[in-house]
Protein backbone atom coordinates (compact mmCIF):
# COMPACT_ATOMS: atom_id res chain seq x y z
CA UNK A 1 0.00 0.00 0.00
CA UNK A 2 1.28 3.47 -0.92
CA UNK A 3 -0.15 6.97 -0.61
CA UNK A 4 -0.53 7.01 -4.40
CA UNK A 5 -2.75 3.93 -4.20
CA UNK A 6 -4.77 5.51 -1.39
CA UNK A 7 -5.39 8.59 -3.55
CA UNK A 8 -6.31 6.43 -6.57
CA UNK A 9 -8.75 4.37 -4.54
CA UNK A 10 -10.37 7.48 -3.07
CA UNK A 11 -11.35 8.58 -6.58
CA UNK A 12 -13.73 5.66 -6.88
CA UNK A 13 -15.86 7.13 -4.10
CA UNK A 14 -16.29 10.31 -6.17
CA UNK A 15 -18.13 8.64 -9.08
CA UNK A 16 -21.34 10.54 -9.69
CA UNK A 17 -24.62 8.74 -9.42
CA UNK A 18 -25.85 7.16 -12.63
CA UNK A 19 -22.49 7.38 -14.39
CA UNK A 20 -21.80 4.65 -16.95
CA UNK A 21 -19.22 3.88 -19.60
CA UNK A 22 -18.71 1.24 -22.27
CA UNK A 23 -15.97 -1.01 -20.89
CA UNK A 24 -14.49 -1.73 -24.32
CA UNK A 25 -14.38 1.93 -25.28
CA UNK A 26 -12.55 2.68 -22.04
CA UNK A 27 -10.22 -0.22 -22.80
CA UNK A 28 -9.45 1.16 -26.28
CA UNK A 29 -8.69 4.57 -24.77
CA UNK A 30 -6.34 2.94 -22.27
CA UNK A 31 -4.62 1.06 -25.10
CA UNK A 32 -4.14 4.30 -27.06
CA UNK A 33 -2.79 6.08 -23.97
CA UNK A 34 -0.60 3.21 -22.80
CA UNK A 35 2.62 5.21 -23.29
CA UNK A 36 1.36 7.94 -20.95
CA UNK A 37 0.15 5.36 -18.43
CA UNK A 38 3.39 3.36 -18.56
CA UNK A 39 1.70 0.10 -19.58
CA UNK A 40 3.14 -2.86 -21.42
CA UNK A 41 1.36 -5.07 -23.91
CA UNK A 42 1.14 -7.89 -21.37
CA UNK A 43 -0.57 -5.57 -18.87
CA UNK A 44 -3.15 -4.68 -21.50
CA UNK A 45 -3.74 -8.37 -22.18
CA UNK A 46 -4.38 -8.97 -18.47
CA UNK A 47 -6.76 -5.98 -18.34
CA UNK A 48 -8.63 -7.37 -21.35
CA UNK A 49 -8.95 -10.70 -19.56
CA UNK A 50 -10.29 -9.02 -16.41
CA UNK A 51 -12.88 -7.09 -18.42
CA UNK A 52 -14.02 -10.29 -20.12
CA UNK A 53 -15.07 -11.64 -16.72
CA UNK A 54 -17.43 -8.70 -16.20
CA UNK A 55 -20.72 -9.93 -17.67
CA UNK A 56 -22.10 -6.60 -18.92
CA UNK A 57 -20.80 -4.18 -21.57
CA UNK A 58 -21.61 -1.08 -19.52
CA UNK A 59 -19.78 -0.21 -16.33
CA UNK A 60 -22.47 1.39 -14.14
CA UNK A 61 -22.16 3.19 -10.85
CA UNK A 62 -24.13 1.48 -8.13
CA UNK A 63 -23.57 -2.02 -9.51
CA UNK A 64 -21.00 -4.52 -8.38
CA UNK A 65 -17.85 -3.85 -10.42
CA UNK A 66 -15.68 -6.52 -8.80
CA UNK A 67 -14.46 -9.48 -10.86
CA UNK A 68 -13.08 -12.55 -9.07
CA UNK A 69 -11.46 -14.96 -11.54
CA UNK A 70 -8.79 -17.35 -10.35
CA UNK A 71 -5.22 -17.05 -11.58
CA UNK A 72 -5.73 -20.16 -13.72
CA UNK A 73 -8.75 -18.58 -15.43
CA UNK A 74 -6.88 -15.32 -16.00
CA UNK A 75 -3.88 -17.15 -17.47
CA UNK A 76 -6.16 -18.94 -19.92
CA UNK A 77 -7.83 -15.75 -21.14
CA UNK A 78 -4.54 -13.79 -21.18
CA UNK A 79 -3.09 -16.04 -23.88
CA UNK A 80 -1.41 -18.44 -21.48
CA UNK A 81 1.10 -16.09 -19.86
CA UNK A 82 3.22 -17.39 -16.98
CA UNK A 83 1.96 -17.07 -13.41
CA UNK A 84 4.78 -14.76 -12.36
CA UNK A 85 4.11 -12.54 -15.38
CA UNK A 86 0.41 -12.43 -14.48
CA UNK A 87 1.15 -11.28 -10.92
CA UNK A 88 3.62 -8.66 -12.13
CA UNK A 89 1.15 -7.16 -14.57
CA UNK A 90 -1.70 -7.20 -12.07
CA UNK A 91 0.55 -5.09 -9.85
CA UNK A 92 1.27 -2.79 -12.82
CA UNK A 93 -2.46 -2.26 -13.39
CA UNK A 94 -3.01 -1.50 -9.71
CA UNK A 95 -0.11 0.95 -9.57
CA UNK A 96 -1.34 2.67 -12.75
CA UNK A 97 -4.72 3.25 -11.09
CA UNK A 98 -6.73 1.11 -13.50
CA UNK A 99 -8.00 -1.47 -11.00
CA UNK A 100 -8.21 -1.80 -7.22
CA UNK A 101 -7.67 -4.84 -5.09
CA UNK A 102 -10.72 -5.82 -3.06
CA UNK A 103 -9.18 -8.44 -0.79
CA UNK A 104 -11.06 -10.97 1.26
CA UNK A 105 -10.12 -11.78 4.88
CA UNK A 106 -8.04 -14.77 3.74
CA UNK A 107 -6.72 -13.13 0.57
CA UNK A 108 -8.73 -15.37 -1.75
CA UNK A 109 -10.99 -14.23 -4.57
CA UNK A 110 -14.58 -15.37 -4.27
CA UNK A 111 -18.19 -14.20 -4.25
CA UNK A 112 -20.95 -14.60 -1.69
CA UNK A 113 -24.43 -14.62 -3.15
CA UNK A 114 -27.86 -14.06 -1.63
CA UNK A 115 -30.60 -16.68 -1.78
CA UNK A 116 -31.94 -15.21 -5.00
CA UNK A 117 -28.53 -15.57 -6.65
CA UNK A 118 -27.65 -11.89 -6.59
CA UNK A 119 -24.08 -10.96 -5.69
CA UNK A 120 -23.98 -9.95 -2.04
CA UNK A 121 -20.23 -9.60 -1.53
CA UNK A 122 -17.37 -10.08 -3.98
CA UNK A 123 -13.64 -10.16 -3.42
CA UNK A 124 -11.16 -9.77 -6.25
CA UNK A 125 -10.36 -6.81 -8.49
CA UNK A 126 -12.59 -3.75 -8.70
CA UNK A 127 -13.06 -2.10 -12.10
CA UNK A 128 -14.35 1.11 -10.48
CA UNK A 129 -11.21 3.12 -11.38
CA UNK A 130 -11.93 2.54 -15.09
CA UNK A 131 -15.38 4.08 -14.66
CA UNK A 132 -14.14 6.90 -12.44
CA UNK A 133 -11.35 7.90 -14.85
CA UNK A 134 -13.10 7.18 -18.16
CA UNK A 135 -13.08 10.85 -19.25
CA UNK A 136 -9.43 11.18 -18.24
CA UNK A 137 -8.47 8.17 -20.34
CA UNK A 138 -10.40 9.57 -23.31
CA UNK A 139 -8.50 12.88 -23.08
CA UNK A 140 -5.19 11.05 -22.79
CA UNK A 141 -5.99 8.98 -25.88
CA UNK A 142 -6.91 12.16 -27.75
CA UNK A 143 -3.63 13.77 -26.69
CA UNK A 144 -1.64 10.78 -27.95
CA UNK A 145 -3.49 10.87 -31.28
CA UNK A 146 -2.85 14.60 -31.65
CA UNK A 147 0.83 14.16 -30.84
CA UNK A 148 1.05 11.40 -33.44
CA UNK A 149 -0.67 13.63 -36.02
CA UNK A 150 1.72 16.50 -35.35
CA UNK A 151 4.72 14.19 -35.51
CA UNK A 152 3.52 12.86 -38.87
CA UNK A 153 3.07 16.42 -40.16
CA UNK A 154 6.58 17.43 -39.03
CA UNK A 155 8.05 14.31 -40.63
CA UNK A 156 6.32 15.11 -43.94
CA UNK A 157 7.59 18.70 -43.88
CA UNK A 158 11.08 17.43 -43.04
CA UNK A 159 11.02 15.04 -46.00
CA UNK A 160 9.93 17.83 -48.34
CA UNK A 161 12.60 20.22 -47.02
CA UNK A 162 15.29 17.54 -47.31
CA UNK A 163 14.28 16.80 -50.89
CA UNK A 164 14.21 20.50 -51.83
CA UNK A 165 17.64 21.22 -50.37
CA UNK A 166 19.16 18.16 -52.07
CA UNK A 167 17.80 19.10 -55.49
CA UNK A 168 18.67 22.80 -55.16
CA UNK A 169 22.26 22.07 -54.10
CA UNK A 170 22.68 19.57 -56.94
CA UNK A 171 21.22 22.02 -59.46
CA UNK A 172 23.45 24.85 -58.23
CA UNK A 173 26.62 22.75 -58.38
CA UNK A 174 25.92 21.24 -61.79
CA UNK A 175 24.92 24.63 -63.22
CA UNK A 176 28.14 26.21 -61.97
CA UNK A 177 26.57 28.70 -59.54
CA UNK A 178 29.10 30.43 -57.31
CA UNK A 179 28.95 29.57 -53.61
CA UNK A 180 30.54 27.56 -50.82
CA UNK A 181 28.61 24.45 -51.79
CA UNK A 182 31.01 22.09 -49.99
CA UNK A 183 30.18 23.71 -46.63
CA UNK A 184 26.46 23.74 -47.41
CA UNK A 185 26.65 20.09 -48.48
CA UNK A 186 28.40 19.19 -45.22
CA UNK A 187 25.71 20.95 -43.18
CA UNK A 188 23.02 19.16 -45.20
CA UNK A 189 24.59 15.72 -44.67
CA UNK A 190 24.94 16.40 -40.93
CA UNK A 191 21.27 17.42 -40.63
CA UNK A 192 20.06 14.39 -42.60
CA UNK A 193 22.31 12.11 -40.53
CA UNK A 194 20.48 13.18 -37.37
CA UNK A 195 17.26 11.73 -38.79
CA UNK A 196 18.50 8.21 -38.01
CA UNK A 197 18.41 8.88 -34.28
CA UNK A 198 15.44 11.27 -34.18
CA UNK A 199 12.44 9.93 -32.30
CA UNK A 200 10.44 12.73 -30.71
CA UNK A 201 8.60 15.62 -32.34
CA UNK A 202 11.16 17.99 -30.83
CA UNK A 203 13.99 16.14 -32.59
CA UNK A 204 12.27 16.35 -35.97
CA UNK A 205 11.32 20.01 -35.47
CA UNK A 206 14.96 20.87 -34.78
CA UNK A 207 16.07 19.09 -37.96
CA UNK A 208 13.25 20.75 -39.95
CA UNK A 209 14.36 24.20 -38.76
CA UNK A 210 17.92 23.47 -39.82
CA UNK A 211 16.90 22.19 -43.26
CA UNK A 212 14.56 25.17 -43.74
CA UNK A 213 17.41 27.56 -42.99
CA UNK A 214 19.61 25.72 -45.48
CA UNK A 215 16.89 25.92 -48.14
CA UNK A 216 16.46 29.65 -47.55
CA UNK A 217 20.21 30.13 -47.73
CA UNK A 218 20.50 28.30 -51.05
CA UNK A 219 17.58 30.25 -52.49
CA UNK A 220 19.13 33.53 -51.38
CA UNK A 221 22.38 32.62 -53.12
CA UNK A 222 20.52 31.75 -56.31
CA UNK A 223 18.42 34.90 -56.02
CA UNK A 224 21.57 37.00 -56.09
CA UNK A 225 22.99 35.23 -59.16
CA UNK A 226 20.01 34.62 -61.46
CA UNK A 227 19.12 37.94 -63.12
CA UNK A 228 20.67 39.94 -60.25
CA UNK A 229 19.59 43.32 -61.64
CA UNK A 230 15.91 42.36 -61.66
CA UNK A 231 16.20 40.69 -58.27
CA UNK A 232 17.73 43.80 -56.71
CA UNK A 233 15.33 46.32 -58.26
CA UNK A 234 12.04 45.28 -59.80
CA UNK A 235 11.51 42.14 -57.76
CA UNK A 236 12.26 43.76 -54.41
CA UNK A 237 10.03 46.66 -55.26
CA UNK A 238 7.16 44.42 -56.20
CA UNK A 239 7.57 42.38 -53.00
CA UNK A 240 7.50 45.62 -51.01
CA UNK A 241 4.23 46.64 -52.65
CA UNK A 242 2.71 43.21 -52.15
CA UNK A 243 3.32 43.49 -48.42
CA UNK A 244 2.06 47.07 -48.13
CA UNK A 245 -1.01 47.34 -50.29
CA UNK A 246 -3.86 45.22 -51.57
CA UNK A 247 -3.93 47.17 -54.83
CA UNK A 248 -0.54 45.76 -55.79
CA UNK A 249 -1.52 42.17 -55.06
CA UNK A 250 -3.06 39.65 -57.41
CA UNK A 251 -6.52 41.00 -56.62
CA UNK A 252 -6.33 43.80 -59.18
CA UNK A 253 -5.59 41.35 -61.97
CA UNK A 254 -9.03 39.68 -61.94
CA UNK A 255 -11.92 42.15 -61.51
CA UNK A 256 -14.56 39.40 -61.28
CA UNK A 257 -13.16 38.22 -57.95
CA UNK A 258 -11.42 41.37 -56.71
CA UNK A 259 -13.34 41.66 -53.44
CA UNK A 260 -12.83 38.02 -52.39
CA UNK A 261 -9.18 37.83 -53.39
CA UNK A 262 -8.46 41.14 -51.69
CA UNK A 263 -9.66 39.72 -48.37
CA UNK A 264 -7.70 36.53 -48.98
CA UNK A 265 -4.46 38.43 -49.65
CA UNK A 266 -4.72 40.20 -46.28
CA UNK A 267 -5.82 37.20 -44.23
CA UNK A 268 -3.24 34.77 -45.60
CA UNK A 269 -0.13 36.94 -45.76
CA UNK A 270 1.21 35.36 -42.55
CA UNK A 271 0.21 31.89 -43.76
CA UNK A 272 2.19 32.36 -46.99
CA UNK A 273 5.32 33.08 -44.99
CA UNK A 274 4.94 29.82 -43.09
CA UNK A 275 4.11 27.48 -45.96
CA UNK A 276 5.92 27.79 -49.31
CA UNK A 277 8.84 30.07 -50.12
CA UNK A 278 8.88 32.08 -53.36
CA UNK A 279 11.61 30.96 -55.76
CA UNK A 280 13.90 33.35 -57.67
CA UNK A 281 11.97 34.85 -60.60
CA UNK A 282 14.83 34.10 -62.96
CA UNK A 283 14.84 30.44 -61.97
CA UNK A 284 11.08 30.25 -62.49
CA UNK A 285 11.30 31.78 -65.99
CA UNK A 286 14.07 29.41 -67.02
CA UNK A 287 11.95 26.47 -65.88
CA UNK A 288 8.63 27.81 -67.29
CA UNK A 289 9.36 29.95 -70.37
CA UNK A 290 5.92 29.38 -71.97
CA UNK A 291 4.17 31.80 -69.62
CA UNK A 292 6.25 34.75 -70.79
CA UNK A 293 4.07 35.30 -73.87
CA UNK A 294 1.06 35.80 -71.57
CA UNK A 295 2.69 38.61 -69.63
CA UNK A 296 2.11 42.36 -70.22
CA UNK A 297 3.58 43.17 -73.62
CA UNK A 298 4.65 39.55 -74.06
CA UNK A 299 7.24 39.80 -71.27
CA UNK A 300 7.62 38.69 -67.66
CA UNK A 301 10.16 40.90 -65.95
CA UNK A 302 9.15 40.59 -62.31
CA UNK A 303 6.70 38.94 -59.93
CA UNK A 304 3.89 41.33 -60.76
CA UNK A 305 4.14 40.44 -64.44
CA UNK A 306 4.17 36.72 -63.57
CA UNK A 307 1.05 36.98 -61.41
CA UNK A 308 -0.70 38.95 -64.15
CA UNK A 309 0.25 36.32 -66.72
CA UNK A 310 -0.93 33.54 -64.38
CA UNK A 311 -4.44 35.00 -64.26
CA UNK A 312 -4.56 35.05 -68.08
CA UNK A 313 -3.30 31.46 -68.21
CA UNK A 314 -5.91 30.48 -65.62
CA UNK A 315 -8.67 31.68 -67.88
CA UNK A 316 -7.06 30.17 -70.98
CA UNK A 317 -6.75 26.71 -69.42
CA UNK A 318 -10.29 26.81 -68.03
CA UNK A 319 -9.31 26.95 -64.36
CA UNK A 320 -12.12 28.46 -62.29
CA UNK A 321 -11.59 31.60 -60.22
CA UNK A 322 -12.44 29.68 -57.05
CA UNK A 323 -9.80 27.03 -57.76
CA UNK A 324 -7.15 29.69 -58.31
CA UNK A 325 -8.28 31.57 -55.20
CA UNK A 326 -7.88 28.40 -53.12
CA UNK A 327 -4.37 27.98 -54.52
CA UNK A 328 -3.53 31.58 -53.56
CA UNK A 329 -4.79 30.94 -50.03
CA UNK A 330 -2.76 27.75 -49.60
CA UNK A 331 0.45 28.69 -51.45
CA UNK A 332 0.47 32.48 -51.55
CA UNK A 333 -0.07 34.54 -54.76
CA UNK A 334 3.53 34.22 -55.95
CA UNK A 335 3.72 30.44 -55.61
CA UNK A 336 0.22 30.00 -57.04
CA UNK A 337 1.43 31.89 -60.11
CA UNK A 338 4.48 29.59 -60.30
CA UNK A 339 2.21 26.54 -60.07
CA UNK A 340 0.08 27.91 -62.92
CA UNK A 341 3.20 28.49 -65.02
CA UNK A 342 4.29 24.90 -64.36
CA UNK A 343 0.86 23.57 -65.32
CA UNK A 344 1.07 25.54 -68.57
CA UNK A 345 4.39 23.85 -69.36
CA UNK A 346 2.75 20.45 -68.93
CA UNK A 347 -0.64 21.39 -70.38
CA UNK A 348 -0.38 18.78 -73.13
CA UNK A 349 -0.06 16.02 -70.53
CA UNK A 350 -2.78 17.20 -68.11
CA UNK A 351 -6.43 16.35 -68.77
CA UNK A 352 -7.91 18.94 -66.39
CA UNK A 353 -5.80 21.92 -65.38
CA UNK A 354 -8.38 22.94 -62.78
CA UNK A 355 -8.50 19.51 -61.18
CA UNK A 356 -4.71 19.29 -61.20
CA UNK A 357 -4.41 22.69 -59.46
CA UNK A 358 -6.98 21.70 -56.83
CA UNK A 359 -5.00 18.52 -56.17
CA UNK A 360 -1.80 20.54 -55.68
CA UNK A 361 -3.68 22.92 -53.37
CA UNK A 362 -5.01 20.06 -51.26
CA UNK A 363 -1.57 18.45 -51.00
CA UNK A 364 -0.05 21.82 -50.05
CA UNK A 365 -2.50 22.22 -47.15
CA UNK A 366 -1.53 18.75 -45.93
CA UNK A 367 2.17 19.57 -46.21
CA UNK A 368 2.72 16.96 -48.92
CA UNK A 369 3.69 19.20 -51.86
CA UNK A 370 6.56 21.53 -52.65
CA UNK A 371 7.24 23.47 -55.85
CA UNK A 372 10.98 22.79 -55.69
CA UNK A 373 11.05 19.32 -57.29
CA UNK A 374 8.53 20.36 -59.96
CA UNK A 375 10.62 23.40 -60.92
CA UNK A 376 13.83 21.38 -60.98
CA UNK A 377 12.27 18.80 -63.30
CA UNK A 378 11.03 21.51 -65.68
CA UNK A 379 14.37 23.30 -65.51
CA UNK A 380 16.11 20.09 -66.50
CA UNK A 381 13.67 19.49 -69.35
CA UNK A 382 13.97 23.04 -70.69
CA UNK A 383 17.75 23.35 -70.38
CA UNK A 384 18.53 20.82 -73.10
CA UNK A 385 20.15 18.38 -70.70
CA UNK A 386 22.59 20.95 -69.30
CA UNK A 387 21.19 20.42 -65.82
CA UNK A 388 20.78 16.97 -64.33
CA UNK A 389 19.05 17.81 -61.04
Amino acid sequence: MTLALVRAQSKTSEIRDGKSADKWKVYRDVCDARALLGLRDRALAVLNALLSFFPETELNHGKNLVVFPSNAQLITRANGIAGTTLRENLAVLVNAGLINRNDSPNGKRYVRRARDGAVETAYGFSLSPLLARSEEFALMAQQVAEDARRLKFVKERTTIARRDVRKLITAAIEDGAAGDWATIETAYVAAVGRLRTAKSKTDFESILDELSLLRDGVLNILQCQVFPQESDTNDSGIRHHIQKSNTDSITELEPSSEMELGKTAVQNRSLRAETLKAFPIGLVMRACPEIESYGPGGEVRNWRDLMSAAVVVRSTLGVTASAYQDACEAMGPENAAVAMAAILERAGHINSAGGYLRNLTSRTRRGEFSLGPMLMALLKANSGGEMRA
Side-chain angles (χ1 to χ4, degrees), residues 87-362:
R87 290 189 289 272
E88 289 174 1
N89 286 285
L90 286 171
V92 168
L93 294 174
V94 172
N95 292 331
L98 300 179
I99 59 175
N100 288 338
R101 294 184 187 274
N102 190 28
D103 292 333
S104 66
N106 62 5
K108 302 293 184 179
R109 297 174 213 148
Y110 61 88
V111 61
R112 181 178 292 113
R113 299 181 182 275
R115 290 185 178 181
D116 59 358
V119 175
E120 190 174 73
T121 306
Y123 298 102
F125 296 102
S126 173
L127 304 177
S128 297
L130 292 175
L131 178 59
R133 302 177 62 189
S134 58
E135 296 91 347
E136 179 186 350
F137 296 142
L139 290 175
M140 294 173 71
Q142 184 177 347
Q143 177 186 341
V144 170
E146 179 64 16
D147 290 343
R149 187 193 67 80
R150 291 180 180 178
L151 178 60
K152 181 180 178 181
F153 176 75
V154 173
K155 285 183 176 181
E156 290 173 349
R157 297 294 299 275
T158 302
T159 299
I160 292 172
R162 180 182 66 181
R163 191 167 55 209
D164 284 352
V165 174
R166 174 70 276 162
K167 288 181 177 294
L168 287 171
I169 292 176
T170 301
I173 293 174
E174 295 189 353
D175 205 37
D180 190 359
W181 302 114
T183 300
I184 295 175
E185 175 79 14
T186 300
Y188 168 78
V189 172
V192 172
R194 290 166 51 200
L195 288 172
R196 290 193 295 269
T197 57
K199 295 181 180 179
S200 67
K201 183 167 69 74
T202 302
D203 294 337
F204 282 98
E205 286 177 341
S206 175
I207 297 171
L208 175 59
D209 290 341
E210 189 172 342
L211 290 173
S212 297
L213 287 174
L214 278 175
R215 178 170 58 188
D216 292 344
V218 173
L219 287 174
N220 286 336
I221 294 173
L222 295 177
Q223 178 75 49
C224 294
Q225 296 186 47
V226 181
F227 298 122
Q229 183 176 359
E230 291 184 4
S231 299
D232 294 339
T233 56
N234 294 336
D235 182 48
S236 61
I238 293 304
R239 286 185 175 277
H240 177 75
H241 287 301
I242 288 174
Q243 295 174 357
K244 295 296 183 182
S245 171
N246 285 341
T247 58
D248 287 335
S249 70
I250 193 171
T251 59
E252 69 175 356
L253 304 178
E254 191 175 3
S256 62
S257 58
E258 180 177 354
M259 295 284 291
E260 295 180 68
L261 286 179
K263 294 178 182 177
T264 300
V266 175
Q267 294 171 351
N268 293 282
R269 193 164 289 134
S270 60
L271 179 61
R272 289 183 349 230
E274 295 175 1
T275 52
L276 300 178
K277 303 292 185 181
F279 290 82
I281 185 68
L283 182 67
V284 173
M285 294 311 301
R286 290 173 61 189
C288 309
E290 291 292 330
I291 199 171
E292 186 167 18
S293 59
Y294 293 86
E299 293 182 307
V300 173
R301 296 161 297 185
N302 48 52
W303 281 106
R304 186 172 184 174
D305 289 350
L306 180 62
M307 290 188 291
S308 178
V311 174
V312 178
V313 170
R314 175 198 71 74
S315 178
T316 302
L317 295 181
V319 177
T320 63
S322 62
Y324 191 64
Q325 177 181 342
D326 289 344
C328 290
E329 292 178 5
M331 305 178 186
E334 299 95 336
N335 287 297
V338 174
M340 189 57 64
I343 291 174
L344 178 63
E345 290 292 320
R346 300 284 297 168
H349 303 277
I350 298 174
N351 293 329
S352 172
Y356 190 80
L357 181 63
R358 286 193 182 277
N359 180 50
L360 296 184
T361 301
S362 177

